[in-house]
Amino acid sequence: MISPRSKKSMPFYRGFGMIEAVIGMALITIFLFAIAEVGRLGSRLIDSAGFRMQATFLIEEGFDAVRGVRDAGWAANIAPLSLDTDYWLNFSGGVWALTTTPRPFIDGRFDRRVRVSAVLRDSSDDIVTTSGATDTNSKKITVSVAWSDRGATTTSTVSTYIMNLFNN
C-alpha cells in the first residue's frame, strides 16, 4: 500500500508537533501573565481611588469643623488665628478646635492641615487677590490632606471662604 506521504518527505514533518506545543504553551503563559497583571493593576487603582475618596471626606469634615469653630465664636476662635499658618484640627470634649500642634496621622496614613488666609476686597466689595482692603469679617480657608501611596506623597487641597455670620 502506498502512503500519502513518501518516506523522503517524512523528515520534513518531524518536530512540527513539538514546535506547535511550545508555541501554544508560550501563548497560554503570556495570556495568564497578562490576566494577572490586569488584576494587579486593577487592585492598585481600587486602592488609590479608595485613598482619594477618604481624603475627600476628610477635607469635607475639615470644612465642617472650621464652620463649627466659627459658629462657636468668631472673635474668640477665628479672628485671632495667625494668617498663612498651618493648623491641625483637634476634637476633644465634643468640640472642634484649631491647634498649631501637629496631630497624629488619621488612620495612620492621612495628614490634614487647615490654613487661614486674609480676604481682600475692592471698592465694589468683590474679592480680589491683590490691591484690596482687608475684610476682617471674612477668611479664606484651605484644607489640605496628604497621604503616602507606594512611596509617593499625594496631596488634595480645597479652598473656600467663611464669614462672621453671627457677628460674635
Side-chain angles (χ1 to χ4, degrees):
M1 176 175 221
I2 300 175
S3 94
R5 297 184 191 152
S6 69
K7 290 186 177 186
K8 287 183 178 181
S9 64
M10 192 67 123
F12 179 74
Y13 291 108
R14 216 176 242 163
F16 270 108
M18 181 68 81
I19 292 172
E20 289 172 349
V22 169
I23 290 173
M25 291 298 287
L27 290 174
I28 289 171
T29 302
I30 290 169
F31 178 74
L32 290 176
F33 278 120
I35 294 266
E37 184 61 25
V38 166
R40 192 173 69 85
L41 179 61
S43 176
R44 286 178 61 184
L45 291 174
I46 288 170
D47 287 346
S48 180
F51 295 146
R52 190 167 298 282
M53 186 182 334
Q54 192 170 357
T56 301
F57 289 141
L58 289 170
I59 288 172
E60 184 61 35
E61 181 186 49
F63 285 130
D64 288 343
V66 171
R67 285 186 205 104
V69 169
R70 174 207 55 198
D71 294 350
W74 182 274
N77 299 320
I78 300 295
L81 294 175
S82 298
L83 298 178
D84 301 319
T85 300
D86 285 336
Y87 288 92
W88 286 263
L89 289 164
N90 184 29
F91 189 73
S92 180
V95 179
W96 286 104
L98 291 163
T99 178
T100 55
T101 305
R103 304 295 303 154
F105 286 114
I106 300 166
D107 292 339
R109 177 175 299 272
F110 298 94
D111 178 38
R112 176 176 53 196
R113 297 172 189 223
V114 176
R115 188 169 277 234
V116 180
S117 302
V119 174
L120 303 175
R121 295 194 182 265
D122 63 12
S123 59
S124 301
D125 210 26
D126 293 328
I127 295 175
V128 294
T129 56
T130 59
S131 304
T134 302
D135 181 357
T136 58
N137 286 312
S138 298
K139 300 288 183 194
K140 180 179 178 182
I141 304 297
T142 302
V143 178
S144 298
V145 175
W147 67 97
S148 179
D149 184 21
R150 290 177 182 76
T153 300
T154 304
T155 303
S156 186
T157 303
V158 179
S159 296
T160 191
Y161 295 94
I162 61 170
M163 291 177 259
N164 184 6
L165 293 177
F166 307 113
N167 288 323
N168 60 356

